[in-house]
Amino acid sequence: MPFPPGLPPAHSRASIPRQERAQLPFGPAAKVTQVLPADSKVVKEPSGIAFHAGRGTLFVVGDQGDVAELTREGKVLRRANVDGHNFEGVTVGPNGRLFALEEKKTPIIYELDPDSLKVKAEYEVDTKRHGERIIGNAHNKSAEGLCYVPEQNAFYCVNQQPPRLVKLDVPLDKKNGKAKAVDVLELSDVVQHQASDVTYDRASGHFLITESSGGKGQGSVYELTRDGQLVSKTSVPGERAEGLALDGFGGAFIADDAGGVLRVDP
């Protein structure tokens, strides 16, 4: 579904009824538990996290190529280092397939085997649309997060700065290919600083855009409809909230680039 043209700024659009919001556990009464310690060497500088509903586990990736599968309580089931790649996002695609995003001048989506954590396929991400660059080429300002939207059979990656959400058509029937950029949504009027991850909440059909505080306070998560309408903005714990996952049981998990993984329960 393409984004409608000519949308007014997100903050000026009508508010969404409360019952249509994503059920997020953040708030004053939330219980925050560190399930992967800040000094853990399992995943150094965690930057992406995803909940795999079919396995009931979490997959975490890091800036130095670390990948690990964890239980919701933080027990490490398996771990690997994939050639030191700079992973910034991870998501579960169709049929439980696992995908990780590497940030570089031309980002790459890797399909990883959930059991061995080895690379099965790779897809170069198209950084331009209609000849205009939509994914940044500056160091640490490029693709920062990845999610899959089952209803559209499409992937979305988020550009850090300027914040943009890019819809991708990935040729999943091939082991190598180009992830074509088919649409883009500008988020500069929504995200105040820079985007650090994107998560798709199936229960509400909304995107959750994470914004790291950069170590200067709490991060934030922006809830958006699929056409970019701002639903809510919520503070999240962690010094550097680089990744967000919902477990479908009311809990949330944050990959903190300053180290470790946080579990948040209502």
Side-chain angles (χ1 to χ4, degrees), residues 43-48 61-67 81-90 100-110 138-145 160 242 257:
V43 179
K44 304 179 189 70
E45 300 179 62
S47 53
V61 298
D63 291 354
Q64 299 181 42
D66 295 319
V67 184
N81 184 274
V82 187
D83 299 328
H85 291 307
N86 180 14
F87 288 136
E88 289 291 345
V90 62
L101 175 71
E102 181 179 20
E103 181 188 32
K104 54 197 307 186
K105 186 172 182 178
T106 300
I108 296 176
I109 296 173
Y110 296 93
H139 177 65
N140 203 31
K141 301 293 183 183
S142 184
E144 279 283 311
Q160 184 178 37
E242 288 284 324
D257 193 63

Side-chain angles (χ1 to χ4, degrees), residues 48-50 52 59-61 67 87-102 108-114 117-123 145-148 153-156 170-175 179 197:
I49 188 167
H52 195 300
F59 284 91
V60 185
V61 298
V67 184
F87 288 136
E88 289 291 345
V90 62
T91 193
V92 178
N95 303 315
R97 295 166 68 176
L98 184 68
F99 298 87
L101 175 71
E102 181 179 20
I108 296 176
I109 296 173
Y110 296 93
E111 180 178 1
L112 305 179
D113 185 309
L117 302 181
K118 293 182 179 179
V119 174
K120 295 178 62 178
E122 60 182 80
Y123 308 97
L146 183 70
C147 75
Y148 175 71
N153 191 28
F155 289 82
Y156 286 78
V170 183
L172 296 179
D173 58 335
K174 301 178 181 178
K175 289 189 175 181
D197 196 22

